[in-house]
């Protein structure tokens, strides 16, 4: 490998790591923005609309700057599906869930996202996956269910799945379906333009939604800063770093950095939210990430004989 190629790969890895770090802070920042049941801040509805409206404004500027043509008619369907999953479904369900559970708890549940996305791709894009992938996907799901039941028992709710965990599972499903829909037009539009067009196409919904759900003036300044973060970085800039990293460093190497995301979230929640490091949470995060790693290795289409 020559020096130029090595430099590109290293640059790609660093950009990929930056993208993962940005996405990992989404959970604690969302909890800061929405607050908790006992100390609510912004409505999850407002956070959902406002973060997408912020990203939509930045996206419009970017698309005008690069003179991007309007998406073709056949590209708009997948973009609208991505809008439903990534702009509305995922952040809204996540926001309501984070009012009831810690960011560390949510990190364990949402760490299934890579496997869920691969499963959605296999279903929607008719891609065959090895039996081993489905075994590890089932194992990862079982681990998440066991963690949720144990955590509920610790909280005195008995061995039952809580409503917040159901919301988190819904967020994972919505996000993964949105990613797969966007992936259908990534080759023709370009990754950065996909997320930008999705945010721009959402503006007729997100701008009036943000205005109608605007919070009262008593919201803490820190919550406003958290909202700006999830709108500017989680919803928009993070994708630029992530997709550029994948392009420079190669999808196979750079995508493995996603395995670090739940651990960065758990560690970041300590200074940002005052959460404590919990051995059970860290242990289950490690086990789930291991199943994600193995499942992704098994997700390739079987070779023809």
């Amino acid at each position: 490998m020559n020096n130029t190629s090595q430099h590109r790969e290293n640059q790609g890895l660093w950009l990929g790591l930056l993208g993962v770090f940005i996405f990992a802070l989404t959970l604690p920042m969302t909890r800061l923005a929405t607050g908790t049941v006992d100390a609510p801040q912004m409505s999850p509805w407002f956070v959902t609309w406002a973060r997408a409206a912020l990203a939509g404004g930045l996206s419009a500027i970017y698309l005008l700057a690069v003179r991007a043509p309007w998406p073709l008619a056949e590209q708009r369907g997948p973009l609208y599906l991505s809008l439903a999953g990534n702009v509305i479904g995922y952040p809204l369900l996540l926001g309501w869930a984070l009012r009831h559970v810690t960011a560390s708890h949510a990190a364990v549940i949402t760490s299934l996202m890579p496997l869920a996305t691969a499963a959605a791709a296999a279903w929607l894009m008719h891609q065959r996956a090895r039996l081993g992938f489905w075994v590890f996907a089932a194992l990862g799901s079982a681990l998440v269910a066991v963690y949720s039941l144990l955590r509920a028992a610790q909280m005195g709710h008995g061995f039952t799945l809580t409503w917040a965990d159901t919301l988190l599972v819904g967020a994972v499903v919505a996000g993964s379906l949105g990613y797969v829909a966007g992936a259908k037009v990534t080759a023709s539009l370009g990754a950065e333009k996909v997320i930008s067009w999705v945010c721009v196409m959402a503006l007729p919904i997100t701008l009036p939604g943000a205005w109608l759900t605007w919070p009262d003036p008593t919201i803490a300044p820190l919550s406003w800063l958290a909202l700006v973060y999830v709108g500017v970085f989680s919803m928009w800039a993070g994708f630029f770093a992530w997709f550029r990293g994948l392009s420079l460093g190669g999808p196979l190497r750079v995508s493995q950095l996603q395995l670090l995301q739940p651990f960065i979230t758990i560690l970041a929640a300590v200074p940002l939210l005052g959460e404590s490091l919990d051995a059970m949470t860290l242990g289950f995060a490690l086990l789930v990430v291991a199943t994600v790693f193995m499942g992704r290795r098994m997700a390739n289409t079987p070779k023809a004989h």
Side-chain angles (χ1 to χ4, degrees), residues 29-79:
M29 288 298 183
T30 300
R31 187 168 167 88
L32 278 175
T34 62
T36 65
V37 173
D38 297 326
Q41 291 294 318
M42 300 173 184
S43 161
W45 284 103
F46 174 72
V47 172
T48 298
W49 304 135
R51 74 177 233 161
L54 276 172
L58 293 170
S59 297
I61 295 171
Y62 165 73
L63 292 170
L64 286 171
V66 299
R67 299 182 179 181
W70 285 93
L72 301 174
E74 61 267 21
Q75 295 170 329
R76 291 172 201 160
L79 289 174

Side-chain angles (χ1 to χ4, degrees), residues 152-169:
Q154 275 189 344
M155 300 292 290
H157 301 308
F159 284 99
T160 180
L161 290 177
T162 65
W163 178 239
D165 288 331
T166 305
L167 292 174
L168 288 170
V169 171

